[in-house]
Amino acid sequence: MRVLIVNTSEKTGGAAAAANRLMEALKNNGVKAKMLVRDKETEQLTVCGLPSSWRLRWHFLWERLVIWFHVGLRRKHLFEIDIANCGTDITQLPEFQEADVVHLHWINQGMLSLKDIQKIIALKPVVWTMHDLWPAAAICHYARGCEQFHSECGECRLLSIAGKHDLANRVWHRKQKMLEGHQVTFVCCSQWLADEARKSALLKGQRIVSIPNPIDTRMFRPLDKLAAKTALGLPADKHIILFVSQRVTDPRKGMDYFVDAVSLLAQQHPEMKEQAAIAILGGHAEDVAPRLALPVWPLGYVNDTKRIVQVYNAADCFVLPSLEDNLPNTLMEAMACGVPCVGFRVGGIPEMIDHEQNGYVAQFQQADDLAKGIHYVLAEADYELLSRQCVQKVAHNWSEQNVAKRYLEEYETIHSPKVKKP
């Protein structure tokens, strides 16, 4: 079995991390897996980059220019939307031609156009892992309560030039044409996203399954906490509350609620001002540090896996107050390192955190309950038990071997002459 995994980036972003981990998991289970990316960043032999061309940059810029016009020449919503109006035809590449199955992941921002995807679907069996809602909607990645995709997208809230036949509606019909007459297996990383995908009129009749992302538990594992804190220059005598995001100012990641929760924690439990500190991993950490009521250590953006593992192991509590999320890699990584987590009851988060067993699930958008969860983890619960149960949950649900086996079953199903109906 030869599988070609397609993703825009090799390393940047959660989808890239998930795609890389799946490739390694498949290779470790006897599959000849390769990855095709637009942005190749390493010398990894099984990762291939698109042929270098000025067109790659132009595809990204042209798509943004079209979107910029439709959002009223403003930056707001500019990167919340993808329309896949241009991309690269990969069907002539040897990596594509030798593949038995093509496995799409996050292919936006000029990697593939809808026409490119239509051609791929016509030529090869396709599995498409959904890291967000974009394949099931018109132009957005997260619906934020909008239910237009249940019937037909249009009059989109993200557009300044909106109407019944707006850009979202036109892209919707292009996606319908792309899928017409073809079967694609859509894989959702959480049951929550699978349930949302099944509501999409766009994916009616398509096969939709739920398979989580894998994680390498040989890499992400508990280490000596004191040694990790010392190596990172974090205070060894304080509880470290960790916040992680590629861009910590992204409103979807809930920094405002984190700020409010930390303020409430400091007010309700004054001893925490001496006992706890905050570490922030991600870009723009310095921008939010002055707003937090506890001492802050900005760690910046880190792309080195060993250092990321060290950061998780230095933490005593990981907080993820996302307002909408699928199956966050950061949550899985923290739990694999034995770090109890606190997050809102939204998206796939309650599928990962078992309330008061390996962390705390706070009521959605309730900063006071988020603060309660942080205090529960740090000062009330049996911390060692929470930590052990984190590691056990990861090993049971998200190990590379388990996830690879489930994907292999899907590959065999669609590669077989008799394709199962959904």
Side-chain angles (χ1 to χ4, degrees), residues 409-421:
E409 290 171 355
E410 294 301 326
Y411 297 153
E412 293 291 349
T413 297
I414 65 174
H415 189 244
S416 167
K418 294 182 180 180
V419 178
K420 294 182 180 178
K421 297 295 182 183

Side-chain angles (χ1 to χ4, degrees), residues 231-233 281 299 302-312:
L232 292 167
L281 182 63
L299 301 176
V302 177
N303 209 18
D304 177 69
T305 302
K306 289 183 178 180
R307 187 165 178 83
I308 291 171
V309 171
Q310 197 173 50
V311 171
Y312 283 122

Side-chain angles (χ1 to χ4, degrees), residues 139-202:
I139 63 175
C140 70
H141 291 270
Y142 289 93
R144 307 284 175 92
C146 175
E147 296 182 351
Q148 295 275 49
F149 71 96
H150 294 184
S151 53
E152 181 178 318
C153 287
E155 300 181 333
C156 182
R157 62 180 175 81
L158 297 174
L159 302 174
S160 295
I161 306 172
K164 187 175 180 180
H165 301 294
D166 61 11
L167 179 65
N169 186 257
R170 295 198 297 274
V171 173
W172 175 273
H173 286 288
R174 290 170 195 157
K175 285 188 174 182
Q176 280 187 322
K177 183 179 179 181
M178 175 186 77
L179 294 170
E180 188 176 4
H182 300 292
Q183 278 285 308
V184 175
T185 297
F186 289 91
V187 176
C188 302
C189 304
S190 67
Q191 190 56 55
W192 163 78
L193 187 59
D195 291 342
E196 291 297 300
R198 292 188 183 103
K199 297 173 186 175
S200 170
L202 195 63

Side-chain angles (χ1 to χ4, degrees), residues 76-92:
K76 187 177 183 182
H77 303 317
L78 180 59
F79 289 96
E80 294 179 46
I81 294 171
D82 279 293
I83 60 175
N85 62 337
C86 51
T88 300
D89 180 2
I90 66 171
T91 61
Q92 299 305 310

Side-chain angles (χ1 to χ4, degrees), residues 331-344:
L331 203 58
M332 190 185 300
E333 291 163 357
M335 292 177 69
C337 294
V339 183
C341 302
V342 180
F344 284 138

